Amino acid sequence: MSLLSQINTERLPHHIAIIMDGNGRWAKNKGLLRNIGHKNGAKTVKEVVETCAKIDIKYLTLYAFSNENWNRPKLEVELLMKLLISSLKKEVKTLQKNNIKLTTIGNINSLPTKVANELKDVVTKTKDNKRLTLTLALSYGSREELIKTVKEISLKVKNNLISPENIDKSVINNHLYNQNLPDVDLLIRTSGEQRISNFLLWEIAYAELFFTRTLWPDFNKENLFEAILNYQNRERRFGKTSEQLK
Ligand code: IPE
Ligand code: IPE
Ligand code: MG
């Protein structure tokens, strides 16, 4: 039986987030430059995005470039930015065809102007699409996002626009980069690393974590189905007992 046919379509994760890791090692293993790893990683992005749309996942969030990644060699950062521009230009048609809306999280203004403009263009063009919301985390760091949130809320408290006792989960949500991003149900990280690397700390509070040794350029739709099946075999108790859920 194929993996896809085993997936219970009634119990799909609403929001999948992926830490796409291992491009560099993939290239190194083949004696290639890291950049070739990133190019092949972009092919995986296309396959995973199209597959998520096809099977009716509603939210997919991809960690594409972290705040910390600015510390990589200048040339690698430049090539990643170029790859981002060319992928956006190339794939806007695919997004339209599949009814996919592109959104971003992160400090978008810190990206090179060309990248920021290309992003804004695709975000505008796809804003009315409904099937899947694809969010790219770019120049993203979760702690920086939380600092921004605290600053904005403090200012509102200072100006008597909100009182401290009214600060709750929804107030925090409303000050994140994207106020409409739901909690993550399934977080996948490729390449064998088992860490969060400053990604979506607020939204993954109750996410199921799936780690695979597969390097991102080798990850394909079968690996995605495997992760979803693994997720569907877990019991999400949210603090309750197993008996209470029955
Ligand atoms: C993930 O692959 C892509 C980005 C972080 C941009 P890496 O480039 O981190 O690959 P490894 O971890 O060095 O193998
Ligand atoms: C996390 O991968 C960031 C992205 C996938 C964009 P890294 O490869 O940068 O993470 P660390 O530094 O190994 O934790
Ligand atoms: Mg890495």
Side-chain angles (χ1 to χ4, degrees), residues 19-21 63-66 69 72 189 193 195 197:
I19 302 175
M20 312 182 288
D21 199 10
Y63 205 1
F65 192 85
S66 73
N69 289 150
R72 290 193 177 192
R189 183 169 189 151
E193 309 299 350
R195 54 176 172 265
S197 303

Coordinates of all heavy atoms in Angstrom, one line a residue, residues 19-21 63-66 69 72 189 193 195 197, ligand 2:
I19 N 12.2 22.9 9.3 CA 13.5 23.4 9.3 C 14.3 22.7 8.3 O 14.7 21.5 8.4 CB 14.1 23.3 10.7 CG1 13.2 23.9 11.8 CG2 15.6 23.8 10.8 CD1 13.7 23.7 13.2
M20 N 14.5 23.3 7.1 CA 15.1 22.7 6.0 C 16.6 22.7 6.1 O 17.3 23.7 5.8 CB 14.7 23.4 4.7 CG 13.2 23.8 4.6 SD 12.8 24.7 3.1 CE 13.5 26.3 3.3
D21 N 17.2 21.6 6.6 CA 18.6 21.6 6.9 C 19.3 20.5 6.2 O 18.8 19.4 5.9 CB 18.7 21.4 8.4 CG 20.1 21.9 9.0 OD1 20.8 22.5 8.2 OD2 20.4 21.6 10.1
Y63 N 11.5 27.4 7.1 CA 12.6 28.2 7.6 C 13.7 28.3 6.5 O 14.4 27.3 6.2 CB 13.2 27.5 8.8 CG 13.9 28.3 9.8 CD1 14.1 29.7 9.7 CD2 14.5 27.8 11.0 CE1 14.7 30.5 10.6 CE2 15.1 28.5 11.9 CZ 15.2 29.9 11.8 OH 15.9 30.6 12.7
A64 N 13.7 29.4 5.8 CA 14.6 29.5 4.7 C 15.9 30.2 5.0 O 17.0 30.0 4.4 CB 13.9 30.3 3.5
F65 N 15.9 31.2 5.9 CA 17.1 31.9 6.2 C 16.9 32.6 7.6 O 16.0 33.3 7.9 CB 17.3 33.0 5.2 CG 18.7 33.7 5.3 CD1 19.8 33.1 4.6 CD2 18.9 34.8 6.0 CE1 21.1 33.7 4.7 CE2 20.2 35.4 6.1 CZ 21.2 34.8 5.4
S66 N 17.8 32.2 8.5 CA 17.7 32.7 9.9 C 18.5 33.9 10.1 O 19.4 34.2 9.3 CB 18.2 31.6 10.9 OG 19.6 31.5 10.9
N69 N 22.0 33.1 10.2 CA 22.6 32.8 8.9 C 23.3 34.0 8.3 O 24.2 33.8 7.4 CB 21.6 32.2 7.9 CG 21.1 30.8 8.2 OD1 20.0 30.4 7.9 ND2 22.0 30.0 8.9
R72 N 27.1 33.7 8.0 CA 27.8 32.8 7.1 C 28.7 33.6 6.2 O 28.6 34.9 6.1 CB 26.8 32.0 6.3 CG 26.1 31.0 7.1 CD 25.3 30.1 6.3 NE 24.6 29.1 7.2 CZ 24.1 28.0 6.8 NH1 24.1 27.7 5.5 NH2 23.5 27.2 7.6
R189 N 12.3 18.5 11.1 CA 13.7 19.0 10.8 C 14.4 17.9 10.1 O 14.5 16.8 10.6 CB 14.4 19.4 12.0 CG 15.8 20.0 11.7 CD 16.5 20.7 12.8 NE 17.7 21.4 12.3 CZ 18.3 22.5 12.8 NH1 17.7 23.0 13.9 NH2 19.3 23.0 12.3
E193 N 19.9 16.8 12.7 CA 20.1 17.7 13.9 C 18.8 17.7 14.6 O 17.7 17.7 14.0 CB 20.4 19.2 13.4 CG 21.5 19.3 12.4 CD 22.9 18.9 13.0 OE1 23.0 18.6 14.2 OE2 23.8 18.8 12.2
R195 N 17.5 20.1 17.0 CA 17.3 21.4 17.7 C 16.4 22.3 17.0 O 16.0 22.0 15.8 CB 18.7 22.0 17.9 CG 19.5 22.2 16.7 CD 20.8 23.0 16.9 NE 21.6 23.0 15.7 CZ 22.6 22.2 15.5 NH1 22.9 21.2 16.3 NH2 23.3 22.3 14.3
S197 N 16.8 25.8 16.8 CA 17.5 26.9 16.1 C 16.7 28.2 16.0 O 16.7 28.8 14.9 CB 18.1 26.5 14.7 OG 18.9 25.4 14.8
Ligands
IPE2 C1 18.5 26.6 10.6 O1 19.5 25.9 10.0 C2 18.1 27.7 9.7 C3 17.5 27.3 8.5 C4 17.1 26.1 8.1 C5 17.2 28.4 7.5 P1 21.1 26.1 10.4 O2 21.9 25.1 9.7 O3 21.4 27.5 10.2 O4 21.0 25.8 12.0 P2 22.2 25.5 13.0 O5 23.1 26.7 13.1 O6 22.9 24.3 12.6 O7 21.4 25.3 14.3

